Amino acid sequence: MAAPLTLLLIVAVTIRAVLFRSSLAELISARVEVVSPLNAWKRVVEGLALLDLGVSPYSGDVFHETPLMIYLFHFTVDYAEIVFIVSAYFVDCLSCFLKPLDRAKMAINSNYLKSDLLFNFPGCCELISWFITIIVCLCFCKFHFLCTCKYTDVRLCHQIADGITALALYLSIQTYNKDVFRKQKYALESDRYSADCLELLRSPKEMFYIPLKVAMFYLLNPFTILSCVAKSTCGLNNAIIALFIFCTLKGSALLSGILLALATYQSIYPLTLFAPALLFFLQRLYIPVNLRRSSFWFFTLQYAFMYVGSLVVITGLSFFLLGSWDFIPSVYGFIFSVPDLTPNIGLFWYFFAEMFEHFRLFFSCVFQINVFFYTIPLSIKLKEHPVFLIFMQIAIISIFKSYPTVGDVALYMAFLPAWSHLYRFLRNIFLVSCVLLACSALFPVLWHLWIYAGSANSNFYYAITLLFNFGQILLVADYFYAYLRREHHLTHGLYLKKKDGTEATLVLK
Amino acid sequence: MAAHRCGLSLVFILIFSSLACHSSCDSLENANEDTEEKQSVSDTPREVNSDGSIAAEDLNERRGRSTDAELDRRDGTRTSEALTPAAAARDEFQEELVIRPLHSGDIYASFQFRTLWDTDFLQEGQKVSHYRLFPKSLGQVLSKFSVRELHISFTQGFWRTMQWGQPFIPSPPGAELWVWFHDTVSDVDGNWKELTNVLSGIFCASLNFIDLTNTVQPSASFKPLGLGNATDHRFLRYATLPREIVCTENLTPWKKLLPCGSKAGLAVLLKSEKLFHSSFHSQAVHIRPVCQDEQCTSKAWELRQTLNVVFDLYTAGQGKKEWSLFKMFSRTLTEACPLATSSKVYVDITDNPEGELFELSPATPLLSQAVVLGDRRTYSVFDLTRAETFGQLRSLNLLLRWKGDGGEMLRPLLHAERYVAGFGLQTGEIHTVIYNNHPYRAFPVLLMDSVPWYLQLYIHTLTVTSKSRDNKPSYIHYQPAKDRHRPHLLEMLIQLPPHSMTEVTVQFERALLKWTEYTPDPNHGFYVGSSVVSALVPSMVAMNTNFTQDQPLFSSFVPVKEESSYFVRVYTEPLLVNLPTPDFSMPYNVICLTCTVVAVGYGSFYNLLTRTFQVDEPSLPLAKRLANLIRRIRGVPLLT
């Protein structure tokens, strides 16, 4: 298992390194689809330049990263090697910390899960593969250093971020698959599934390569590669979210709370991931979701305290680093009020460029509430399936957030292989994939026609963003539908019959 | 009407007699001018007017313009004050016109009108209500908004430094306003806002478009030109409107500020149909506190009204290089403004010492030398306060006829230009090129750039190169823009190597604005105001650092601190930058379409969240259902 993963990581790193070296890097980093005002690398450099000039980066309207981020990069630019070692150790420690935990769990599980051998957590294998990749990274980095570019080392940072994301996703999905398999086993043993749905059950064989596929979907997704080559800090946010998912699935409430706070601090929207994480922990600890149970409230408050506590600590830390609260309006105010209407792949920019002034506040409230709105109904509907809920939430955030980029899209798309068993229930996957592919190709074309050739106008680009978002919505809704339908079939049987014995069709009523 | 005309001719007779008397007094004084006090020089016209007729006429005219009731009430006391020479002595008015034939064949005419207002402006809380020569509208503005210094200019066209040399008082295309407030002002922004609105009314200009989004506080480029060395730039406000169109409606209120209006003196030449048929037109008002005398025992407000115009007579005159006052202004001079202590016309003849280049008529024996902008120039002087200037015809029509081609012009030592590089509507680069044409001296310049917020500057892309080497600015003051609140301000101190070209580049990104924020012609583009290059340029000749009263006005505007250098301000071209535009006909469509997509998302999730899967049991056809209804009544088994 380690070998393909290592190979994958090396291939991914090589592609990125080659692109970094090519002249395409500059072109890519100027694409509006890849970078937004929130995460453009050019703006990070501008923030650093402002710091060097002795001007607060938040005094202007160019820099919108969080203070921790700018100090991280300030530090990275000066001490690349140290950060590199620290990152490596960080991942190392993380793996070591999780390993004994996993072993203990396995010992318990192995009593009644014979086939668990397939999922035997090969912690050291991953660790080895990680180190090999790091060494490759280091080689590329040295190569870059020789080419003497001031901010070269930051490329390494982005590559590491992508690596961390992929690895975290890989391990998360591995853990998740184990969970799924165990639950399936319980359900089978307790005869909860109907008799004719055996072909819906998942076999260890087909699940074996899913973690690798997930890592591959993330690392080799053109969207991720573009995002990494553009040095968009979106990759770092993705890494934080992936680590959060990893820690959650590994059952570490404290780390999960801290990372969720970090993700929220970075871009406010991951706030909605609180609900799925909580549901997952409750399920894991066999605490029923019952508002009258004290154990439910006890754990909820505990987790909320960890989350809010770390959020307060992080925000306080930024305040002490910066010496002022300027970053709150400049980062979060900027996310919520959408003052920058630079085109991107989202729904906000043209809508608010064309909005009537007296409706602006109303619609910005409506559009922002729309992102958070789905959390509660989805949590109720999917309370038994928190991981799918995480996927749904991430997808909704990346579609409806105010400054989306393709990096956000890549994160939720990485989960698609994990739902490969839903494939038979998807209704319009062909149409959706065609739409998404066509849109991805048309973005640069119509942008060129509008901005450079002058032969098209803004409506062309707007039309394609509309279609792209429409395709994404269809995709997510389709997966949601398929998931619910599979659950229905698992309990009610696959081949449903009408009263008169003919084959029945399922409808939503 | 007839009575009025009769009165007017009476006044003219009186003026002429007084002028004749004045000139004789003047010539008497010239004999012993060194021993004479300045006081007596400025007193002279007042003594001449001591019969009271001119002063009374002046007051009547001013009262006609003033609508203030208070003024009328005090009129009695004021008239008696004005009649006593001692009290009236302190205010004075000077006017002059400088004509410089340019090497390009154009004519540069520069008017300056200087009004001194002797009032103790530094005392707090003192209400000044006594106005003689100083326009009341401006005086009230000064005291109401606690203005320390005010400079405002309206310019149509661009001054071509490389062809025309340096102007006496430079100004950027469009409108420019910079104001120093007293350091007692607490709400500077509030005062500034009100002041711009008031000035907008006074000058009939769009100065009310000056708001926080185009106002900056330069830290070093705009020092006060008058008394006092204020350094706290919190009390300074600077704004330009590069889009402002200057026309007759701005000239008329400007002329009304003159004590004689446009009725007498040099101002009769200011006819808008000719002034605006020119290559360059700039009118300005500069108000600042100055010393009354060398010892600076008393202070006064100085109001300088300047009007610079460049006529392209070469092309307009069918290729003949020949001009006259009448050709330029369609008027000739017949008299000086009776209220003026001096009224002179200077013609630059430096390039024509022997009369081989052009011929000037009428000839004048009076010559004057002045050191201006680092160069010693010779001028023929026509003193309008002398009757003999006007000759037999009682009118002065200067005529200049070129004989040959003009020689090579001395290249201006400092020159700057600017352009936008790049293509497409996403990014771009501003290039500012500054030339130091001095053969062996390096000198520092202050470059100031104020860029609107919708061009997002990236300061880390700033490069300064001279002679293809990196030239690091020794001082950078940068204030990044806030969207819809304030512009970028970039000030740099750059050392220019001798005989070099320095290029300053900075990249920017173009923002997409809200559809209501575009101007009515969005595809015309957006103007970015000129960069300002301020420098102390090494002088070829020793500059005159002495404060003397009899210096010509054009050489005494900027105070000279040292002999070896002189102050120059160069404005670059304004930029015209295109921004990406949304489709202005689309608001309803966009709102509908985007909301539809959001609703598709909401709808499909809502559908899946609220409904459950059920086996589809097709309902019976209508005929069967009707049959079943009857069967139920009959008690027969139902159909399925």
Side-chain angles (χ1 to χ4, degrees):
Chain A
M1 203 55 194
L5 185 64
T6 314
L7 195 68
L8 174 66
L9 283 169
I10 290 173
V11 167
V13 166
T14 317
I15 292 173
R16 284 162 172 74
V18 167
L19 280 175
F20 270 136
R21 293 291 307 139
S22 74
S23 57
L24 283 176
E26 200 167 333
L27 185 78
I28 292 169
S29 61
R31 303 291 321 161
V32 285
E33 299 88 10
V34 182
V35 294
S36 73
L38 272 179
N39 56 25
W41 177 246
K42 202 175 177 186
R43 291 174 185 250
V44 177
V45 178
E46 177 72 8
L48 292 174
L50 288 179
L51 264 191
D52 288 343
L53 277 179
V55 181
S56 163
Y58 298 103
S59 63
D61 247 345
V62 168
F63 183 78
H64 302 288
E65 295 285 345
T66 51
L68 285 187
M69 208 61 153
I70 191 170
Y71 281 99
L72 168 77
F73 282 119
H74 203 56
F75 186 66
T76 323
V77 166
D78 297 342
Y79 311 100
E81 305 274 333
I82 300 174
V83 166
F84 156 71
I85 293 164
V86 168
S87 323
Y89 271 108
F90 165 67
V91 177
D92 186 11
C93 296
L94 202 72
S95 309
C96 293
F97 168 71
L98 291 164
K99 212 160 52 179
L101 201 119
D102 212 71
R103 286 271 151 75
K105 212 170 62 203
M106 224 163 52
I108 306 164
N109 292 352
S110 58
N111 290 337
Y112 42 80
L113 269 172
K114 298 290 177 279
S115 55
D116 206 35
L117 279 173
L118 262 177
F119 299 117
N120 194 351
F121 181 52
C124 40
C125 293
E126 264 77 47
L127 222 58
I128 291 163
S129 75
W130 178 243
F131 269 116
I132 294 170
T133 323
I134 292 288
I135 289 162
V136 174
C137 272
L138 189 62
C139 296
F140 279 119
C141 171
K142 279 289 172 206
F143 181 59
H144 287 316
F145 263 125
L146 292 177
C147 302
T148 60
C149 171
K150 192 182 171 192
Y151 297 108
T152 306
D153 36 357
V154 175
R155 298 169 179 180
L156 177 73
C157 203
H158 285 88
Q159 296 218 4
I160 289 182
D162 270 11
I164 290 177
T165 316
L167 201 71
L169 287 179
Y170 176 87
L171 296 175
S172 314
I173 296 302
Q174 205 172 40
T175 323
Y176 172 64
N177 278 348
K178 252 186 298 179
D179 260 17
V180 166
F181 194 77
R182 203 184 62 225
K183 272 190 205 153
Q184 191 175 301
K185 193 97 181 164
Y186 290 156
L188 267 183
E189 281 169 6
S190 55
D191 276 340
R192 254 188 277 151
Y193 291 152
S194 75
D196 61 348
C197 64
L198 270 176
E199 59 183 290
L200 285 182
L201 294 183
R202 312 180 64 189
S203 71
K205 207 167 178 177
E206 59 149 331
M207 288 162 83
F208 181 72
Y209 282 111
I210 284 178
L212 190 67
K213 275 188 202 159
V214 168
M216 197 164 82
F217 249 65
Y218 188 74
L219 281 180
L220 299 185
N221 188 340
F223 287 165
T224 327
I225 294 174
L226 288 178
S227 189
C228 178
V229 172
K231 288 184 274 190
S232 156
T233 55
C234 178
L236 297 178
N237 295 353
N238 283 354
I240 295 171
I241 294 176
L243 279 175
F244 152 73
I245 296 170
F246 174 61
C247 293
T248 310
L249 294 186
K250 282 292 179 192
S252 163
L254 178 63
L255 271 181
S256 153
I258 293 172
L259 285 165
L260 182 59
L262 205 58
T264 313
Y265 167 77
Q266 279 293 334
S267 64
I268 213 86
Y269 290 117
L271 171 71
T272 58
L273 297 177
F274 180 82
L278 180 67
L279 285 174
F280 183 86
F281 284 120
L282 290 174
Q283 199 183 62
R284 188 186 164 86
L285 298 169
Y286 304 106
I287 302 171
V289 184
N290 187 337
L291 296 185
R292 267 168 291 178
R293 292 280 287 271
S294 64
S295 57
F296 167 75
W297 284 113
F298 179 70
F299 186 78
T300 307
L301 286 179
Q302 198 183 352
Y303 187 61
F305 179 75
M306 287 179 210
Y307 170 62
V308 175
S310 18
L311 199 57
V312 167
V313 168
I314 294 167
T315 320
L317 187 65
S318 334
F319 172 71
F320 287 118
L321 272 177
L322 199 71
S324 77
W325 292 109
D326 283 350
F327 68 97
I328 301 274
S330 189
V331 178
Y332 308 116
F334 185 77
I335 292 175
F336 280 126
S337 62
V338 205
D340 192 319
L341 303 171
T342 312
N344 56 36
I345 59 168
L347 293 167
F348 278 70
W349 64 276
Y350 207 51
F351 188 69
F352 285 103
E354 295 273 6
M355 179 50 64
F356 297 103
E357 202 54 49
H358 47 283
F359 287 131
R360 185 173 301 276
L361 181 66
F362 168 72
F363 272 108
S364 59
C365 291
V366 168
F367 271 51
Q368 297 291 357
I369 289 170
N370 185 43
V371 187
F372 297 96
F373 171 77
Y374 301 103
T375 312
I376 293 170
L378 277 176
S379 307
I380 293 167
K381 188 86 175 178
L382 292 170
K383 65 172 185 284
E384 301 296 325
H385 313 281
V387 179
F388 190 74
L389 181 55
I390 289 181
F391 162 74
M392 287 295 293
Q393 290 287 13
I394 293 176
I396 286 171
I397 289 172
S398 82
I399 296 168
F400 292 120
K401 76 191 285 194
S402 45
Y403 301 100
T405 58
V406 291
D408 299 303
V409 179
L411 181 64
Y412 82 81
M413 282 199 170
F415 280 90
L416 295 185
W419 322 122
S420 57
H421 57 286
L422 301 180
Y423 187 74
R424 62 185 296 164
F425 297 116
L426 293 179
R427 291 171 297 184
N428 35 23
I429 186 71
F430 177 71
L431 177 76
V432 168
S433 1
C434 288
V435 164
L436 292 184
L437 280 177
C439 286
S440 312
L442 281 176
F443 272 129
V445 173
L446 294 180
W447 179 258
H448 180 85
L449 288 184
W450 173 26
I451 295 296
Y452 294 103
S455 52
N457 68 5
S458 47
N459 294 342
F460 288 64
Y461 193 77
Y462 165 65
I464 222 67
T465 60
L466 268 192
L467 194 60
F468 186 71
N469 283 294
F470 183 70
Q472 285 192 87
I473 288 169
L474 274 191
L475 179 77
V476 176
D478 217 11
Y479 269 95
F480 190 26
Y481 168 83
Y483 198 88
L484 293 180
R485 182 149 178 197
R486 180 173 173 272
E487 290 304 312
H488 184 265
H489 280 306
L490 279 178
T491 41
H492 295 94
L494 185 57
Y495 301 107
L496 297 171
K497 294 274 186 319
K498 275 194 242 175
K499 280 179 209 153
D500 56 358
T502 54
E503 200 175 320
T505 46
L506 265 184
V507 286
L508 276 172
K509 269 185 183 163
Chain B
M1 191 65 201
H4 179 71
R5 195 169 294 164
C6 199
L8 207 68
S9 54
L10 191 70
V11 168
F12 278 145
I13 292 164
L14 281 169
I15 289 170
F16 279 125
S17 58
S18 63
L19 281 177
C21 183
H22 170 215
S23 57
S24 58
C25 292
D26 207 12
S27 55
L28 272 176
E29 270 172 26
N30 283 345
N32 52 355
E33 57 183 299
D34 290 335
T35 51
E36 198 67 29
E37 289 265 325
K38 288 280 178 299
Q39 190 71 31
S40 72
V41 175
S42 54
D43 276 352
T44 317
R46 297 282 87 81
E47 284 167 7
V48 171
N49 297 346
S50 57
D51 58 0
S53 59
I54 293 296
E57 169 64 20
D58 165 46
L59 268 175
N60 285 337
E61 195 190 324
R62 296 188 71 80
R63 188 168 45 176
R65 277 194 264 151
S66 169
T67 55
D68 200 65
E70 192 189 14
L71 190 76
D72 285 342
R73 247 189 292 117
R74 290 168 170 245
D75 198 35
T77 52
R78 281 204 48 193
T79 315
S80 57
E81 269 175 22
L83 290 178
T84 54
R90 310 299 290 270
D91 286 11
E92 64 173 70
F93 174 67
Q94 292 169 285
E95 55 179 8
E96 77 176 33
L97 162 66
V98 188
I99 297 175
R100 188 205 280 175
L102 299 171
H103 286 269
S104 56
D106 303 311
I107 305 296
Y108 172 34
S110 171
F111 293 86
Q112 290 215 16
F113 303 91
R114 180 182 192 241
T115 312
L116 273 183
W117 181 27
D118 177 42
T119 178
D120 203 359
F121 49 86
L122 288 176
Q123 259 183 22
E124 265 306 299
Q126 190 198 350
K127 236 178 124 59
V128 184
S129 51
H130 185 97
Y131 296 93
R132 283 193 75 254
L133 300 175
F134 199 88
K136 182 168 183 178
S137 55
L138 285 181
Q140 284 177 328
V141 166
L142 294 185
S143 61
K144 169 126 190 349
F145 298 108
S146 308
V147 171
R148 188 189 184 85
E149 229 175 77
L150 185 147
H151 302 268
I152 184 168
S153 74
F154 300 96
T155 307
Q156 187 72 37
F158 177 68
W159 182 269
R160 293 161 216 283
T161 313
M162 284 311 276
Q163 289 175 35
W164 297 343
Q166 299 285 0
F168 295 121
I169 296 180
S171 56
E176 183 199 42
L177 174 65
W178 57 286
V179 175
W180 276 92
F181 290 94
H182 276 295
D183 46 13
T184 48
V185 177
S186 52
D187 179 19
V188 182
D189 283 326
N191 268 18
W192 168 249
K193 183 78 202 146
E194 275 187 58
L195 176 67
T196 52
N197 281 298
V198 169
L199 289 176
S200 175
I202 292 178
F203 291 103
C204 294
S206 332
L207 295 174
N208 52 324
F209 284 110
I210 291 176
D211 52 14
L212 292 181
T213 62
N214 48 20
T215 302
V216 289
Q217 303 170 34
S219 67
S221 292
F222 288 88
K223 290 290 168 208
L225 292 176
L227 282 176
N229 44 359
T231 48
D232 192 348
H233 64 270
R234 281 180 299 149
F235 298 102
L236 169 65
R237 291 294 181 277
Y238 174 86
T240 53
L241 295 172
R243 208 193 161 100
E244 179 76 10
I245 310 283
V246 184
C247 204
T248 321
E249 76 267 21
N250 306 112
L251 182 67
T252 311
W254 184 89
K255 281 196 290 195
K256 278 189 178 164
L257 299 174
L258 294 169
C260 292
S262 54
K263 294 181 180 66
L266 292 172
V268 295
L269 299 177
L270 303 175
K271 291 294 167 196
S272 51
E273 73 268 19
K274 283 289 183 184
L275 286 184
F276 291 103
H277 188 70
S278 58
S279 308
F280 176 84
H281 169 91
S282 168
Q283 59 187 68
V285 168
H286 302 273
I287 303 173
R288 58 177 178 173
V290 291
C291 291
Q292 274 279 47
D293 47 27
E294 234 169 313
Q295 288 77 35
C296 216
T297 47
S298 62
K299 292 158 189 163
W301 282 109
E302 183 201 66
L303 164 69
R304 251 180 218 254
Q305 287 178 257
T306 65
L307 190 141
N308 295 309
V309 60
V310 174
F311 291 102
D312 184 7
L313 291 179
Y314 190 60
T315 48
Q318 288 91 40
K320 265 196 281 177
K321 284 175 95 174
E322 165 179 321
W323 59 264
S324 65
L325 280 187
F326 188 78
K327 259 192 179 176
M328 286 194 283
F329 301 105
S330 70
R331 291 288 186 285
T332 55
L333 287 167
T334 50
E335 52 167 345
C337 170
L339 297 168
T341 48
S342 92
S343 174
K344 286 173 180 160
V345 178
Y346 294 83
V347 180
D348 192 335
I349 54 160
T350 318
D351 304 324
N352 189 34
E354 310 293 320
E356 73 276 6
L357 263 183
F358 51 78
E359 182 190 346
L360 181 67
S361 67
T364 173
L366 277 180
L367 287 182
S368 157
Q369 281 211 331
V371 180
V372 53
L373 297 165
D375 199 5
R376 190 178 299 281
R377 315 287 296 180
T378 316
Y379 296 91
S380 291
V381 186
F382 299 86
D383 192 342
L384 300 190
T385 49
R386 293 165 184 249
E388 65 260 32
T389 310
F390 299 103
Q392 297 295 319
L393 294 169
R394 296 243 165 235
S395 86
L396 174 66
N397 182 19
L398 287 171
L399 186 79
L400 191 143
R401 195 171 286 120
W402 285 84
K403 288 176 177 169
D405 262 342
E408 272 300 295
M409 187 189 64
L410 198 68
R411 283 159 72 88
L413 293 183
L414 178 66
H415 170 54
E417 52 194 39
R418 192 157 70 138
Y419 58 92
V420 175
F423 63 98
L425 297 176
Q426 192 179 4
T427 55
E429 199 168 38
I430 298 178
H431 287 245
T432 311
V433 189
I434 311 169
Y435 297 89
N436 173 4
N437 292 329
H438 201 287
Y440 53 87
R441 285 280 298 273
F443 57 87
V445 295
L446 259 173
L447 173 69
M448 193 200 92
D449 248 322
S450 164
V451 179
W453 64 267
Y454 38 79
L455 303 184
Q456 292 161 336
L457 287 190
Y458 286 96
I459 197 70
H460 72 269
T461 59
L462 177 77
T463 59
V464 185
T465 45
S466 321
K467 293 184 166 172
S468 62
R469 289 234 305 276
D470 196 30
N471 181 357
K472 200 170 155 44
S474 48
Y475 164 80
I476 293 186
H477 171 76
Y478 178 62
Q479 190 189 37
K482 266 278 189 222
D483 283 1
R484 299 175 181 89
H485 287 295
R486 69 164 191 233
H488 300 272
L489 171 67
L490 176 61
E491 278 188 289
M492 286 181 288
L493 187 67
I494 307 170
Q495 183 77 17
L496 300 184
H499 199 70
S500 69
M501 185 189 94
T502 303
E503 191 164 21
V504 181
T505 66
V506 63
Q507 287 177 15
F508 65 88
E509 211 162 81
R510 299 159 209 247
L512 182 74
L513 309 182
K514 297 171 188 169
W515 71 299
T516 47
E517 287 171 335
Y518 287 89
T519 47
D521 49 350
N523 291 309
H524 175 69
F526 286 73
Y527 284 92
V528 180
S530 311
S531 308
V532 187
V533 181
S534 319
L536 281 174
V537 177
S539 171
M540 299 291 193
V541 292
M543 294 298 291
N544 193 0
T545 53
N546 296 332
F547 175 87
T548 48
Q549 198 78 17
D550 53 349
Q551 250 177 302
L553 293 180
F554 59 85
S555 65
S556 65
F557 180 61
V558 181
V560 178
K561 299 264 167 55
E562 48 185 310
E563 282 193 348
S564 61
S565 60
Y566 61 99
F567 180 79
V568 168
R569 187 167 282 151
V570 176
Y571 292 93
T572 65
E573 300 90 336
L575 299 176
L576 183 58
V577 181
N578 271 311
L579 296 186
T581 51
D583 186 339
F584 296 98
S585 60
M586 284 279 280
Y588 284 106
N589 303 353
V590 169
I591 292 170
C592 292
L593 290 170
T594 309
C595 286
T596 306
V597 170
V598 173
V600 165
Y602 178 83
S604 48
F605 289 130
Y606 179 82
N607 216 2
L608 290 162
L609 284 167
T610 53
R611 299 184 184 194
T612 52
F613 284 103
Q614 277 168 21
V615 174
D616 185 26
E617 294 284 354
S619 56
L620 292 171
L622 189 65
K624 275 194 176 176
R625 268 191 280 168
L626 283 176
N628 273 348
L629 211 66
I630 299 163
R631 277 167 174 256
R632 191 172 288 145
I633 296 164
R634 285 170 55 201
V636 188
L638 301 178
L639 293 173
T640 53

